[in-house]
Amino acid sequence: MTGGEVAGILVAVFWAILVSFLAVVLVRLAQTLRATTKLVAEVTEQAVPLLADASATVRSAQTQLDRVDAIATDVQEVTSNASALSTTVASTFGGPLVKVAAFGYGVRRAMSRRSDDMPAASPSRPTVIVGRSVPAARRKKRKG
């Protein structure tokens, strides 16, 4: 065998090994592509119902938000009506109620002055009136 023949055999063996290696790689790549295709098909089968459920959930949430918005609007209206009613009641009854209270206070004060002018029924029991000073005659007795 000559050097050229040995080199040709080496090249042929090298090409055979390379082709075998490429064949194995291509077989593995084909298996990977089949598995990927199967996985994509399964994900698609599961994703479609999930997207439908998500869409239904979003619609339900929108409906609930619309209801909450309507309730908030009603509450705002009730609040403004209550405020207007309280303002009306305060302006309508506020003045007369203050006058009635002042009249009642004046009557009580007049009655208490009247009862102060009358002699006490039981002299042994002293009466304490808040906010009044002790007469000068009593002060001298306590000091001495």
Side-chain angles (χ1 to χ4, degrees):
M1 264 204 222
T2 64
E5 290 175 349
V6 173
I9 292 176
L10 285 177
V11 169
V13 170
F14 174 73
W15 279 108
I17 293 172
L18 182 64
V19 168
S20 299
F21 178 72
L22 287 176
V24 170
V25 170
L26 288 175
V27 168
R28 297 264 174 118
L29 181 62
Q31 290 174 350
T32 305
L33 286 175
R34 274 190 231 112
T36 304
T37 304
K38 183 179 177 182
L39 179 66
V40 168
E42 290 175 1
V43 167
T44 303
E45 288 174 9
Q46 293 177 359
V48 171
L50 286 176
L51 288 174
D53 289 345
S55 177
T57 303
V58 168
R59 274 189 246 114
S60 174
Q62 181 63 36
T63 303
Q64 295 299 325
L65 284 175
D66 291 341
R67 288 179 183 171
V68 168
D69 188 37
I71 290 170
T73 302
D74 292 343
V75 167
Q76 184 179 10
E77 185 178 335
V78 167
T79 303
S80 65
N81 289 344
S83 175
L85 180 65
S86 67
T87 303
T88 303
V89 167
S91 64
T92 302
F93 296 113
L97 284 177
V98 169
K99 290 177 184 177
V100 167
F103 178 75
Y105 175 75
V107 168
R108 274 186 280 134
R109 185 151 182 171
M111 295 301 285
S112 70
R113 282 188 183 167
R114 214 166 179 218
S115 66
D116 286 345
D117 293 343
M118 298 174 72
S122 60
S124 62
R125 185 172 172 198
T127 305
V128 177
I129 300 174
V130 178
R132 294 194 115 185
S133 60
V134 178
R138 287 188 182 171
R139 276 192 220 141
K140 289 179 186 177
K141 290 180 185 177
R142 286 188 182 171
K143 287 182 182 177

